[in-house]
Amino acid sequence: VQLQASGGGLVQAGGSLRLSCEPSGLNFRDYGVGWFRQAPGKEREFVAGMSRSTRAYSYADSVKGRFTISTDASKSSVNLQMNRLNLEDTAVYYCAATARGPYNGVAKRSVDYDNWGQGTLVTVSS
């Protein structure tokens, strides 16, 4: 099982990036998917997530109104559109998937996820 996260890079403050997470060895339709990030010297934190049903979404307060998690009809990938990026968004971003928990619930803790991608680095410059 692999999760491939891509789309990271260097962007100026105020800019946008779109991250994508694609699975190999599992079907996202059976999983809730979340995005986490870890900045240097800080703990990994929840950024955004969607339920297995795709009917429920959740965002960290720090990214509400700027980031959007989405998927396509077949849930072949899960994306994170990041707008109005600021310096505090600099981090390695990880996607994760879980088959546990309520069908319409969004898992927000790292321990709730069993499958993790390798991470993609987002660097926001001033």
Side-chain angles (χ1 to χ4, degrees):
V1 174
Q2 275 191 318
L3 301 182
Q4 183 68 43
S6 61
L10 176 64
V11 63
Q12 283 193 322
S16 299
L17 280 176
R18 183 178 177 87
L19 305 183
S20 182
C21 181
E22 296 185 356
S24 175
L26 62 82
N27 191 327
F28 267 169
R29 282 178 286 187
D30 300 323
Y31 289 77
V33 179
W35 285 96
F36 290 75
R37 67 186 181 187
Q38 187 165 18
K42 294 188 176 181
E43 293 187 353
R44 187 172 299 187
E45 63 175 358
F46 173 79
V47 175
M50 69 167 51
S51 64
R52 285 185 287 156
S53 69
T54 74
R55 286 195 284 269
Y57 299 82
S58 184
Y59 297 91
D61 288 343
S62 59
V63 307
K64 277 181 184 175
R66 300 188 298 122
F67 291 13
T68 304
I69 189 172
S70 66
T71 187
D72 53 27
S74 63
K75 211 176 178 184
S76 59
S77 66
V78 174
N79 306 306
L80 185 68
Q81 178 67 41
M82 306 187 296
N83 299 327
R84 303 201 316 272
L85 286 160
N86 57 53
L87 299 181
E88 290 70 38
D89 296 318
T90 294
V92 177
Y93 284 72
Y94 300 89
C95 62
T98 180
R100 296 182 279 140
Y103 187 63
N104 288 315
V106 179
K108 299 180 184 179
R109 303 180 307 165
S110 296
V111 295
D112 293 330
Y113 288 84
D114 302 310
N115 303 283
W116 290 84
Q118 84 288 357
T120 185
L121 177 63
V122 172
T123 303
V124 183
S125 65
S126 59

